[in-house]
Structures are given as C-alpha cells and as structure tokens.
Amino acid sequence: MSGSSIWRPRPPARVEPAGPRPGIRISDADRERAAVRLQRAVGEGRITFSELEERLEVVYAARFAADLVPPLEDLPDDEPVLSTPVGPPLVLRAGVGSLRRTGRWEVPARLRVQSTMGAVLLDFTEAELTHPVVEIELELGAGAARLFVPAGATADLDGLVAGLGMVRSRVPVAPAHAPHFRIYGRSGIGSVVVRRRYRIAGHLV
C-alpha cells in the first residue's frame, strides 16, 4: 500500500570484545620500594642521576604493576617478590594515650597506625596472620613504636622516613618466605623498633 512500510527487525548490535585488564593496582609502598631500588642502582653505578630522575617520574606516576616494569626491567633483582595486598587499610588511632594490640587478634592485610604522642605496641607473635604480606603505614608524632614479629618473619623498612627519632630492625629484610611485613610512612621524634620476642626465665620480653 502507498505510504506504508514493512517493519524489519534490526540486526543485533555488534559487541566488541572487552580489552585486557590493566592488572593489579599498586600501593604507595610498591612505588616507594621501586624508588629505593632505583636510588640503590645509582649508588651501584648502574644508572646516572639523569636516568634516575626520568625513571622516578615513571615510578611515581605508575598505577598498575605493569607500569613499574619498564624503569626496573634492566636492573638485577634477586629478591623474591611477594605481592602487596590491596584494599582499604584498618586504621588504628591514638592521641596522647597508648595504642596496644597483643595476644590473639586477627591481622588484616593492611594497617594504618596514627599516633600523636602516645606509645604504640603491635605484637604479632600470637596473632592470626592470614596474609603472606602485611603492609603497615606509620604516621607517628612524638611517640615510640615497638613491633614484635613472629620467628621466621621478615620486615622491610626502606619506606619509613624518620625525623629526629631512631629506626631499628633486628629481623631479616629479604622476603624469603611469609610472613613478610612492609613498614613505611613517617616517624617524628619517637623511635621505631622491629624485633622478635624472646623468652627469659619463662617470660616473653
């Protein structure tokens, strides 16, 4: 009939295949570890200062693990890699008073510890450690912090910046096996000590 049209179904829309996922998002601790490795490479004479500046720009702009490959791929690294956990951290805050976590407690993958003047004690020796890597960000003012780790644990404190205080670790650095603690952030005047606990006369010290 004149003026009429025949309805025809539209062809199905073409669905483009989804592109590859960019990968796992990295944390600030991952960027700091990469920066420390580059700074060590300068001291070893592997790269120049101008190369360091160029590579640091890439490191601090990185969002995914793959972004850290180009600035580090020509540098030797014989340390085993344990992936950094992702997700929001558990925040522990203390003002002037002390902050303590001891005995049996469940340790999350990430911790952020904020203390103005109080003392901080984190005892992991009897805690439930369900993650191979525990990331701890310290934001300390004038208070001291003590971290007791289990036997066989390792700890990396390269990302921890100290002001007038002292940072001391008595455990191995290289993550040969789990559990491994990545500790970074800032400490003002107080000291930060990481060590194992010892039993003397039947008492843990």
Side-chain angles (χ1 to χ4, degrees), residues 64-79:
F64 301 96
D67 297 334
L68 294 179
V69 173
L72 300 175
E73 62 182 352
D74 60 348
L75 299 177
D77 188 359
D78 54 0
E79 297 181 356

Side-chain angles (χ1 to χ4, degrees), residues 1-177:
M1 296 177 58
S2 176
S4 64
S5 61
I6 300 174
W7 178 85
R8 294 182 177 87
R10 293 183 179 180
R14 183 180 179 183
V15 178
E16 298 292 339
R21 295 180 59 187
I24 301 297
R25 286 186 176 270
I26 59 176
S27 68
D28 290 337
D30 292 318
R31 298 182 187 92
E32 290 300 329
R33 288 175 59 247
V36 169
R37 180 65 192 96
L38 290 174
Q39 292 164 0
R40 190 163 68 244
V42 171
E44 296 167 346
R46 300 183 188 275
I47 61 176
T48 64
F49 283 101
S50 61
E51 290 176 311
L52 172 65
E53 294 179 358
E54 294 174 356
R55 299 187 187 207
L56 284 178
E57 289 183 4
V58 177
V59 165
Y60 286 118
R63 293 186 300 162
F64 301 96
D67 297 334
L68 294 179
V69 173
L72 300 175
E73 62 182 352
D74 60 348
L75 299 177
D77 188 359
D78 54 0
E79 297 181 356
V81 177
L82 295 175
S83 61
T84 299
V86 296
L90 171 65
V91 181
L92 304 177
R93 293 186 177 91
V96 179
S98 61
L99 189 157
R100 295 170 60 91
R101 287 293 187 275
T102 61
R104 299 286 297 180
W105 61 292
E106 184 176 352
V107 180
R110 299 181 63 203
L111 280 168
R112 178 177 297 152
V113 180
Q114 300 171 333
S115 175
T116 304
M117 295 182 64
V120 174
L121 171 60
L122 300 179
D123 189 348
F124 301 98
T125 54
E126 298 180 0
E128 297 181 16
L129 296 167
T130 59
H131 303 275
V133 179
V134 178
E135 184 178 291
I136 304 174
E137 180 182 2
L138 298 179
E139 298 177 7
L140 307 178
R146 290 181 297 162
L147 284 71
F148 297 141
V149 300
T154 55
D156 176 7
L157 283 77
D158 286 342
L160 183 60
V161 178
L164 299 177
M166 171 193 68
V167 176
R168 182 173 59 189
S169 175
R170 297 179 180 176
V171 299
V173 176
H177 47 74

